[in-house]
Amino acid sequence: MGSLFFFYSLVCFVLLSQNFSSSLVQHLCSPNEAFSLVQFKQQFSASFAKTSWNESRDCCTWDGVTCDMLTGYVIGLDLHLTNLSGSIHPNSSLFQLRHLQTLNFAYNNLSGPIPYSIGNLTQTRELNFGYNHFTGHIPSTISKLKHLTLLDLSSNSLGGEIPDVFSNLQELVNLYLSYNSFIGPFPSSIVRLASLESLDLSINSLSGPLPSNVSILQKLVDLDFSHNSLNGTIPSWMFSLPSLYMVELHHNLFNGLSDELKLNPTLGRLDLSHNQLSGPVLRSLQNLTNLVNLDLSSNNITVDEAIPIAFPSLEVLQLSSCELKDLPHFLRNLKTLRALNLSNNKIRGQIPNWFSNRRWDSLFHLNLSHNSLSGHIDLSHYYSLVSLDLKFNFLEGPLPSAICNMSFLNLLDLSRNNFSNSIPSCLGNMTQLTVLDLRRNNFSGSLPPLCTQITSLATSILNGYQLMTTIILNGNRFEGRVPVSWLNCVGLEVLDIGNNAITDTFPASLGTLEELQVLVLKSNKFHGPISTKLKFGFPKLRILDLSHNEFSDSLPAEVFRNFKAMIKDDTNKGEIRYMKRFDSFFDVYEDSVRLVVKGNEIELERITTIMTTIDLSSNHFEGVIPKALKDLGSLWLLNLSHNNLRGDIPMELGRLNMLEALDLSWNRLTGKIPRELTRMNFLAFLNLSQNLLVGPIPRGLQFNTFDNDSYGGNLDLCGPPLTKQCGTSDLSLVPQPLESEGEDEAYFFSGFTWESVVIGYSFGLVVGTVVCSVMLKAVKPKWFVEFFEGLIPHKKRRPTKRAQRRQT
Ligand SMILES: *[C@@H]1O[C@H](CO)[C@@H](O)[C@H](O)[C@H]1NC(C)=O
Ligand SMILES: *[C@@H]1O[C@H](CO)[C@@H](O)[C@H](O)[C@H]1NC(C)=O
Ligand SMILES: *[C@@H]1O[C@H](CO)[C@@H](O)[C@H](O)[C@H]1NC(C)=O
Ligand SMILES: *[C@@H]1O[C@H](CO)[C@@H](O)[C@H](O)[C@H]1NC(C)=O
Ligand SMILES: *[C@@H]1O[C@H](CO)[C@@H](O)[C@H](O)[C@H]1NC(C)=O
Ligand SMILES: *[C@@H]1O[C@H](CO)[C@@H](O)[C@H](O)[C@H]1NC(C)=O
Ligand SMILES: *[C@@H]1O[C@H](CO)[C@@H](O)[C@H](O)[C@H]1NC(C)=O
Ligand SMILES: *[C@@H]1O[C@H](CO)[C@@H](O)[C@H](O)[C@H]1NC(C)=O
Ligand SMILES: *[C@@H]1O[C@H](CO)[C@@H](O)[C@H](O)[C@H]1NC(C)=O
Ligand SMILES: *[C@@H]1O[C@H](CO)[C@@H](O)[C@H](O)[C@H]1NC(C)=O
Ligand SMILES: *[C@@H]1O[C@H](CO)[C@@H](O)[C@H](O)[C@H]1NC(C)=O
Ligand SMILES: *[C@@H]1O[C@H](CO)[C@@H](O)[C@H](O)[C@H]1NC(C)=O
């Protein structure tokens, strides 16, 4: 009986309380606060067009607004990623929401200073203004927000010194100020924050030393001061604070470790790379027994072999660019290593037995590239490797077939060594291999059969095989034909077998590989026509280099019509992507390729997707230049030199308005140089020499920048830059500058005024210079990015790993 009564009262209570709370919800929002929100909304009206912020509804039901259940006060405002644009006025009605506890405006386009009135929101616990365009200083009124637990101002354009406003914020747990332009000394009030767990000051311009005596940060777990100009010694507290797990001090100017190191062993990740540390740093760190990930790259470190260094938990060790001269013996003690990076040191001689014979049961990544290792290499104990990078050494001998036991191997880069003999044919059975780079060795014999286990995309997915993306065998002594099995490499993006002795006809069937973007067959003994009865595919091809072979016959239009990726697509305008392979540990591999530009062979370290190139030079091609080339609107380089091409230069080539280098020299081209070619605004290199061209050389824009070398050895060209004057019969033909043809061509260059000549000329110089520096340095073509800055909505964004984590 009693229990039944209890049950009834429980039901009544539940029903009543539900009714009660729902009636509460209906009247929650206070009119004043609703009014403040409405005023705020009006200031940013554009962003709120499609939201639920309808004044005829209770403001507590609006998206992003949270109210206190009991009092009805607005306590949370979350408008991250809502496209807010403009500045927040210090008088903004926002600051009347006195009960706000969380304010999240991250990932918007807010600009101007952070209003000092922020100090009015004294109840705020979480303040996130990250990923906006705020400028100016951090307002000192921040110090009034005594309950702050999270302050995120990262990724803005804030500057000046970081004010010492943090001493009062004793509840602060997360402080993120990274990716701004803060200068001056390290803000010492930060080290008095007893609750702090996560501190990120990375990517600023802080300078000077770190405070030496820090003991309050007892709860600090991770700290990131990377990418600043901090100097002096790294103080002992970095290694002794009791909760510290992750320390990122890379890319600073630290020159040593504190003399009085007291290590406590909680530290798991330590990145001191890119500093000016020298001497036996490892020995000083040896008591960090929980260290999992240690990066000391780009310092000048000596390894004191007398002291046994253990690091019993170490999984990732990076000592690249550290001036090491030998493989350090202490590596023998590292049983848990998963990634070892000793690249770019001065390690010389044979790989010692203790290194190759020990068991490397869990080693996934080994990078010994850019050293001076020599002799044979024993790979039988490295069966767990996922990536093996030995490029730029002097290793020799045949590639041991033990390589095929590495059943997880994804990336194999043995390029630029002296390896010889033929390649073990079992390589084709390695179903996880995606990148194979053996360029510039002495390998001989036939090309290795690859992708032998794959018959279709479906089989590879079904069996968990990886798709091969990159095959680079350039610069060896391979002979014979292109293996049939390569047709199975359905994911192939880059194929470079240039500079070998391959005797085959054009492998047109590779045109079925829909992902293929780079095909380099240059300097081999390929022969015959390039068009066959097979349907000519290659829909994604961007770089085609068939130069220095014995290809013959004509260049039929349909060959070029299939290059869909080269046909200009305005929707992709300005989009620049690097071809890059990713891996769980690191960014592992960037495709690179050598091209001949302006007569110099250069290496493009990174292939950007706009470097569209066709090089068919030094073959026996004959017939006319197909007009169909005009459709390849994204073409960057076109080289048809040293062939037997005849007929006129098609005026349609003038439509290739991305073209920067055009080489048609050493052919039998006749007629006049079409003045339409002057439309090529980016043309920085032109070679029409050694043909049978006649008549006046067109003038204007880029053409004013070319000299004699572009035209020498022709039948009867005249006019500047040649000294030969045009006769009177020619004068009527002196090409006039072209007039605007349509609205779609930006006329920046319209008319023939002094200004346009000057602009055109200096523009040519700029393009010429940057092309040159890109070519010579062969580095990332930053100028492309800069050039296109006006076209892409560009915003500095370099989220740290943590920022990405935070975002989720
Ligand atoms: C707001 O809500 C009212 C009633 O529900 C509706 O009539 C009105 O169109 C809404 N206004 C906007 C801007 O959505
Ligand atoms: C953000 O605003 C810009 C202009 O201010 C507009 O072009 C864009 O479509 C908006 N994006 C979203 C997701 O509303
Ligand atoms: C961002 O704000 C600036 C200045 O307030 C404005 O010029 C720009 O168009 C805005 N960008 C977007 C994408 O809304
Ligand atoms: C901030 O607080 C001060 C003092 O309480 C007040 O005078 C001022 O109007 C407030 N500012 C805003 C924008 O609400
Ligand atoms: C801001 O508010 C103060 C007082 O509330 C007022 O005197 C001042 O004119 C306001 N400024 C602007 C730009 O609205
Ligand atoms: C550290 O940097 C400060 C400020 O840039 C400079 O004055 C000082 O000389 C530097 N000290 C060392 C040891 O480099
Ligand atoms: C470091 O701090 C402790 C305690 O706060 C103090 O006793 C000591 O003198 C300080 N040392 C230095 C060098 O400032
Ligand atoms: C490392 O540990 C040993 C033994 O516990 C101790 O003698 C030595 O002082 C410690 N070294 C450092 C730098 O903490
Ligand atoms: C590295 O340090 C050694 C001495 O420890 C010194 O002889 C050498 O010059 C330094 N190298 C560089 C590049 O600073
Ligand atoms: C090794 O170090 C180099 C240079 O610092 C870096 O590019 C690479 O990503 C690192 N990792 C591996 C696995 O090689
Ligand atoms: C490749 O694997 C197949 C079956 O898995 C086997 O029959 C063949 O002998 C292997 N080839 C080589 C060269 O190891
Ligand atoms: C190995 O290190 C070199 C630089 O030292 C780097 O360029 C290369 O990408 C690294 N290899 C891998 C596979 O990460």
Side-chain angles (χ1 to χ4, degrees):
M1 184 68 190
S3 65
L4 196 62
F5 176 72
F6 176 71
F7 178 68
Y8 273 123
S9 22
L10 186 69
V11 168
C12 281
F13 177 75
V14 168
L15 287 175
L16 267 174
S17 61
Q18 272 187 350
N19 224 351
F20 181 66
S21 65
S22 67
S23 67
L24 250 188
V25 167
Q26 276 161 16
H27 305 288
L28 269 176
C29 191
S30 85
N32 283 347
E33 296 205 319
F35 185 65
S36 298
L37 285 170
V38 168
Q39 279 188 312
F40 181 75
K41 167 187 156 169
Q42 275 157 3
Q43 197 199 337
F44 295 98
S45 48
S47 330
F48 288 88
K50 291 195 198 88
T51 70
S52 63
W53 286 37
N54 184 330
E55 287 154 50
S56 64
R57 289 169 59 195
D58 174 21
C59 85
C60 296
T61 66
W62 296 358
D63 285 345
V65 177
T66 313
C67 295
D68 184 293
M69 287 286 273
L70 292 174
T71 63
Y73 290 130
V74 174
I75 54 168
L77 188 54
D78 181 353
L79 297 176
H80 81 278
L81 261 180
T82 51
N83 221 0
L84 291 181
S85 193
S87 59
I88 304 177
H89 195 274
N91 276 6
S92 166
S93 58
L94 176 69
F95 303 109
Q96 266 131 45
L97 300 168
R98 295 300 179 84
H99 305 278
L100 271 184
Q101 294 175 11
T102 61
L103 183 56
N104 186 352
F105 286 171
Y107 296 96
N108 282 300
N109 185 26
L110 293 168
S111 51
I114 294 177
Y116 58 84
S117 334
I118 196 74
N120 282 23
L121 301 178
T122 51
Q123 301 303 307
T124 313
R125 295 173 187 284
E126 298 187 359
L127 182 62
N128 190 345
F129 282 0
Y131 291 86
N132 279 287
H133 290 123
F134 284 111
T135 51
H137 298 68
I138 297 180
S140 58
T141 49
I142 287 266
S143 65
K144 295 189 186 164
L145 309 183
K146 294 196 173 60
H147 300 296
L148 271 189
T149 59
L150 166 94
L151 177 61
D152 189 344
L153 305 178
S154 57
S155 221
N156 278 289
S157 306
L158 298 167
E161 295 193 5
I162 299 178
D164 263 345
V165 292
F166 300 102
S167 318
N168 287 336
L169 311 183
Q170 283 300 322
E171 293 171 29
L172 206 56
V173 176
N174 300 301
L175 176 57
Y176 305 127
L177 303 178
S178 68
Y179 216 134
N180 279 288
S181 306
F182 293 120
I183 56 168
F186 183 87
S188 57
S189 65
I190 284 180
V191 302
R192 293 195 280 277
L193 298 175
S195 310
L196 206 60
E197 292 176 13
S198 182
L199 173 59
D200 189 351
L201 305 178
S202 63
I203 322 182
N204 279 293
S205 303
L206 302 176
S207 56
L210 289 174
S212 58
N213 199 8
V214 172
S215 53
I216 297 173
L217 298 169
Q218 297 282 307
K219 293 191 177 161
L220 195 63
V221 177
D222 55 271
L223 159 170
D224 189 348
F225 301 163
S226 63
H227 291 276
N228 278 288
S229 303
L230 298 166
N231 67 8
T233 55
I234 297 175
S236 183
W237 57 270
M238 283 293 169
F239 311 102
S240 59
L241 289 175
S243 311
L244 209 52
Y245 179 78
M246 186 184 94
V247 169
E248 309 262 349
L249 298 178
H250 54 95
H251 293 89
N252 275 291
L253 304 169
F254 294 113
N255 59 11
L257 303 182
S258 155
D259 288 339
E260 305 145 25
L261 270 195
K262 276 192 239 91
L263 304 181
N264 93 309
T266 56
L267 214 57
R269 297 173 58 97
L270 178 60
D271 189 342
L272 305 179
S273 65
H274 296 270
N275 276 290
Q276 296 165 0
L277 305 176
S278 56
V281 175
L282 278 163
R283 191 177 54 185
S284 311
L285 299 175
Q286 62 173 310
N287 286 7
L288 293 173
T289 47
N290 285 328
L291 210 56
V292 175
N293 192 324
L294 175 62
D295 193 343
L296 295 172
S297 300
S298 296
N299 285 291
N300 184 3
I301 286 178
T302 50
V303 181
D304 187 345
E305 296 291 2
I307 313 251
I309 302 170
F311 296 123
S313 313
L314 200 63
E315 294 184 5
V316 179
L317 177 62
Q318 309 230 40
L319 291 172
S320 74
S321 312
C322 282
E323 307 271 319
L324 298 180
K325 302 206 168 49
D326 299 290
L327 283 168
H329 272 75
F330 78 94
L331 294 175
R332 265 189 297 203
N333 311 329
L334 305 181
K335 305 274 191 260
T336 46
L337 218 51
R338 290 149 68 91
L340 176 61
N341 191 349
L342 299 173
S343 64
N344 202 21
N345 279 293
K346 305 207 159 107
I347 305 171
R348 56 197 145 61
Q350 265 192 285
I351 294 179
N353 283 342
W354 66 259
F355 188 83
S356 38
N357 287 348
R358 65 152 285 183
R359 289 171 59 101
W360 293 101
D361 288 342
S362 56
L363 193 67
F364 294 154
H365 300 273
L366 179 60
N367 192 343
L368 299 175
S369 69
H370 301 268
N371 278 293
S372 303
L373 296 168
S374 56
H376 291 232
I377 182 165
D378 176 2
L379 294 171
S380 47
H381 290 87
Y382 300 92
Y383 51 86
S384 57
L385 282 183
V386 171
S387 77
L388 175 60
D389 190 343
L390 299 174
K391 67 169 167 269
F392 283 101
N393 276 291
F394 305 106
L395 295 165
E396 59 188 39
L399 181 60
S401 62
I403 196 112
C404 302
N405 297 342
M406 299 182 190
S407 45
F408 308 107
L409 197 67
N410 215 269
L411 176 144
L412 179 61
D413 191 340
L414 305 180
S415 61
R416 298 173 168 96
N417 278 284
N418 293 329
F419 287 109
S420 55
N421 295 55
S422 58
I423 292 183
S425 59
C426 60
L427 220 59
N429 276 2
M430 300 185 71
T431 55
Q432 299 302 309
L433 201 59
T434 62
V435 175
L436 176 67
D437 190 343
L438 306 179
R439 89 185 80 170
R440 303 237 225 145
N441 276 286
N442 261 320
F443 287 114
S444 55
S446 51
L447 290 166
L450 296 168
C451 308
T452 53
Q453 301 291 297
I454 298 174
T455 49
S456 68
L457 195 58
T459 54
S460 75
I461 291 170
L462 262 170
N463 297 303
Y465 299 161
Q466 294 288 322
L467 294 180
M468 192 106 188
T469 61
T470 306
I471 301 174
I472 302 188
L473 305 175
N474 192 312
N476 283 286
R477 294 188 285 127
F478 289 113
E479 305 162 342
R481 311 189 58 172
V482 175
V484 182
S485 71
W486 288 11
L487 288 177
N488 301 337
C489 303
V490 287
L492 200 62
E493 294 173 11
V494 176
L495 177 59
D496 180 353
I497 51 175
N499 294 297
N500 280 291
I502 299 160
T503 320
D504 202 347
T505 53
F506 182 73
S509 50
L510 294 179
T512 57
L513 299 178
E514 289 187 9
E515 302 302 321
L516 198 65
Q517 298 185 40
V518 177
L519 177 62
V520 178
L521 306 179
K522 75 163 166 229
S523 302
N524 277 292
K525 295 178 196 158
F526 283 98
H527 53 85
I530 60 171
S531 79
T532 65
K533 290 198 183 78
L534 280 173
K535 187 180 174 312
F536 205 88
F538 301 105
K540 289 198 180 159
L541 206 62
R542 292 169 189 280
I543 294 182
L544 173 65
D545 188 346
L546 308 182
S547 62
H548 296 274
N549 277 292
E550 286 153 26
F551 287 118
S552 56
D553 227 327
S554 61
L555 298 174
E558 65 266 24
V559 167
F560 301 103
R561 287 211 187 97
N562 284 292
F563 295 154
K564 299 215 169 57
M566 299 197 199
I567 293 172
K568 194 167 165 194
D569 176 1
D570 279 327
T571 58
N572 279 341
K573 205 171 185 180
E575 185 197 1
I576 297 147
R577 284 173 292 122
Y578 295 113
M579 297 179 63
K580 196 169 187 180
R581 320 270 160 241
F582 291 96
D583 178 79
S584 52
F585 267 96
F586 309 99
D587 303 343
V588 287
Y589 185 87
E590 279 167 356
D591 289 315
S592 63
V593 72
R594 292 178 78 81
L595 295 173
V596 175
V597 184
K598 293 184 159 194
N600 298 322
E601 187 168 83
I602 53 102
E603 182 131 3
L604 299 171
E605 287 288 345
R606 294 171 162 185
I607 303 172
T608 65
T609 51
I610 57 173
M611 291 173 176
T612 311
T613 298
I614 293 179
D615 190 344
L616 307 180
S617 63
S618 301
N619 278 289
H620 310 304
F621 289 116
E622 50 194 49
V624 298
I625 298 176
K627 291 190 174 67
L629 274 170
K630 72 175 192 302
D631 295 325
L632 307 184
S634 60
L635 210 54
W636 186 62
L637 301 175
L638 176 61
N639 190 348
L640 304 178
S641 67
H642 295 270
N643 279 295
N644 292 320
L645 299 170
R646 291 160 191 270
D648 291 350
I649 299 174
M651 64 180 179
E652 288 83 354
L653 289 189
R655 296 210 206 149
L656 297 176
N657 54 11
M658 300 300 278
L659 204 65
E660 292 196 4
L662 174 62
D663 193 343
L664 304 176
S665 64
W666 295 93
N667 277 293
R668 294 172 188 198
L669 300 170
T670 49
K672 300 193 187 69
I673 301 174
R675 59 180 188 148
E676 282 79 3
L677 296 193
T678 62
R679 284 192 186 286
M680 298 191 275
N681 291 338
F682 291 103
L683 200 64
F685 174 82
L686 174 72
N687 193 350
L688 303 178
S689 66
Q690 310 296 339
N691 277 293
L692 307 170
L693 299 167
V694 298
I697 292 170
R699 303 300 292 159
L701 306 177
Q702 294 309 103
F703 269 65
N704 293 353
T705 66
F706 305 131
D707 60 18
N708 299 359
D709 298 345
S710 296
Y711 308 107
N714 273 290
L715 193 62
D716 202 9
L717 284 176
C718 64
L722 300 181
T723 43
K724 181 174 189 260
Q725 308 249 319
C726 295
T728 38
S729 61
D730 295 322
L731 270 180
S732 59
L733 300 169
V734 170
Q736 296 304 305
L738 290 164
E739 279 161 32
S740 165
E741 220 171 43
E743 306 156 359
D744 54 337
E745 282 176 282
Y747 270 99
F748 187 50
F749 292 116
S750 60
F752 189 70
T753 64
W754 258 112
E755 274 156 76
S756 67
V757 173
V758 172
I759 293 170
Y761 187 71
S762 51
F763 195 60
L765 269 186
V766 171
V767 172
T769 324
V770 287
V771 167
C772 218
S773 61
V774 168
M775 299 311 130
L776 294 177
K777 288 199 236 139
V779 291
K780 61 189 160 224
K782 190 158 160 248
W783 67 278
F784 275 114
V785 179
E786 281 163 7
F787 180 73
F788 281 105
E789 209 156 40
L791 302 174
I792 346 169
H794 183 73
K795 192 173 174 188
K796 63 163 195 190
R797 278 296 174 255
R798 187 152 42 123
T800 55
K801 278 173 224 124
R802 177 131 29 98
Q804 284 164 342
R805 201 169 67 215
R806 244 183 278 148
Q807 190 181 353
T808 53

